[in-house]
Structure formats: structure tokens, C-alpha cells
Amino acid sequence: MAERSQERDRERDREQPRLPRIRLDQPRMRRARLLPEYDPEAFGRLSERIARFLGTGRFIVWMTVIIIAWVVWNVFAPASLKFDEYPFIFLTLMLSLQASYAAPLILLAQNRQDDRDRVNLEQDRKQNERSIADTEYLTREIAALRMGLGEVATRDWIRSELQDLVKELEELGQERDLFPPDGERRSDVPDR
């Protein structure tokens, strides 16, 4: 029985095509795609340039000049040279085509601008948080320094204390001779 199952396994292996071994340390082979490939960043930059141009006065002036020339040509030109008769259906089609491409390109440009604004807003928020944290830290440090300075002896306080001590010594010196002339030696503490 074991021989039969091994033989069946060999037949199954022969019937199934062997798949190439996939290695994880190497990039996969590119598959053929039906749709054309494009760089989304390049396409986004192009759409922003087009949207930026569509929002200028230059575009409106050129569009107006082309429409006026189109209408004048198709009204006053000889019948054999007219390519769009009075209802100007072809002009309407061209304007609709231009609008149908302009709207998505403008929306794409706005979405990219929104993404940039969102990133800038996030960076500004983080910067503000860091600034607030730094300001709070510095405020605490200044408060600690002020409290510490309240306990530190200042120059004026030391000077006044020394002057008080000098006055006390002078008063004591007048009562007793604390500073005897040379040769005499006195002590406040008796000898033992």
C-alpha cells in the first residue's frame, strides 16, 4: 500500500507544473500589466501646474480669444471653410471636454495641497508643544532660582551683617580692651 501511495504522489507531481522557487532575498519578477504605469508624484505635480495655470487671468484671456476667434471664423468665413455651424456644437463639445479634464485636475491639486497643509499643521502643532514644554521648564527653573536666591546671602545682606559685627566689636572693645598693645596677651578664656 505504501508503494501505491508513493506512486500516486509521483504521478501527481508529474501532472502539476512545478512553480519556480520563490526567494525572499531577491526582488520579484515584474508581471506584465494591462494598464499603463505612471508616477503618481509626477502626475500630481503636472496636475498642480495645470490647475495653477487654469486659475490665472492669462488662461481666461486666451480662452476668450480662442472662443471669439472660433465664433467669428464660423460666422463670417465662407461656407466651405466653416467647420462648426451656428449652434456651435463642436465648440460646446470642446469646452465640455476641457471642463471635464480641468475639474478632476483641480481637485487632485487641492487634495495634494490639503495633504501638504495637514503635514505642515502637524509639524507646527509638534513645534508648539515643544515650545510650550520648554517654556514651562524654564518657568519652573526660574521659580526655583528665585526661591533659592531667597535663601542665599546677598552682598548687601553680608555687608550689613559685617557692619553690625564691627559695631558690636567696637562696643565690646571700648568696654574691655580686646586689642591690647603688643607684648601683653589677654584671653577671654581662663587658663586651665
Side-chain angles (χ1 to χ4, degrees):
M1 258 187 76
E3 292 175 13
R4 277 188 171 173
S5 66
Q6 288 177 354
E7 191 173 316
R8 269 188 258 138
D9 289 342
R10 280 188 227 129
E11 282 182 34
R12 197 173 347 142
D13 288 344
R14 281 187 223 128
E15 290 173 4
Q16 291 179 349
R18 280 223 144 175
L19 296 174
R21 188 169 174 188
I22 297 173
R23 292 191 53 176
L24 297 177
D25 62 338
Q26 294 179 353
R28 292 192 310 176
M29 297 290 290
R30 296 197 70 148
R31 292 187 286 170
R33 299 184 77 178
L34 297 176
L35 298 175
E37 292 188 31
Y38 68 96
D39 181 16
E41 277 300 309
F43 188 74
R45 285 190 301 271
L46 176 67
S47 69
E48 285 178 341
R49 289 179 63 200
I50 292 171
R52 203 170 292 124
F53 175 69
L54 291 177
T56 62
R58 180 183 295 158
F59 171 75
I60 293 173
V61 168
W62 278 108
M63 182 70 107
T64 305
V65 167
I66 289 171
I67 291 172
I68 290 172
W70 187 296
V71 170
V72 167
W73 180 265
N74 286 299
V75 168
F76 297 114
S80 63
L81 296 177
K82 292 180 182 179
F83 56 88
D84 192 16
E85 293 295 323
Y86 166 65
F88 306 119
I89 295 172
F90 189 52
L91 176 63
T92 306
L93 175 68
M94 295 307 290
L95 290 174
S96 297
L97 183 66
Q98 181 267 331
S100 69
Y101 274 99
L105 289 174
I106 290 170
L107 288 175
L108 179 64
Q110 285 177 343
N111 288 341
R112 287 174 53 89
Q113 184 63 43
D114 287 344
D115 292 341
R116 279 195 298 272
D117 290 345
R118 192 175 305 113
V119 168
N120 288 338
L121 184 65
E122 183 66 22
Q123 289 174 346
D124 289 346
R125 188 184 63 75
K126 287 180 181 177
Q127 180 64 34
N128 287 342
E129 286 177 357
R130 284 193 298 266
S131 296
I132 289 170
D134 290 346
T135 304
E136 288 174 352
Y137 171 75
L138 290 174
T139 303
R140 286 191 303 273
E141 289 297 313
I142 289 172
L145 286 173
R146 284 183 178 168
M147 290 173 61
L149 280 177
E151 298 169 3
V152 172
T154 61
R155 184 177 9 159
D156 294 336
W157 182 80
I158 292 173
R159 184 176 291 141
S160 68
E161 289 295 316
L162 287 175
Q163 286 173 353
D164 291 344
L165 286 173
V166 167
K167 283 181 187 175
E168 284 180 30
L169 287 175
E170 286 176 355
E171 290 173 4
L172 283 175
Q174 289 174 357
E175 293 173 8
R176 294 189 295 186
D177 193 16
L178 289 178
F179 304 109
D182 288 338
E184 287 184 43
R185 192 164 175 248
R186 284 189 176 168
S187 171
D188 292 340
V189 179
D191 292 333
R192 293 186 192 194

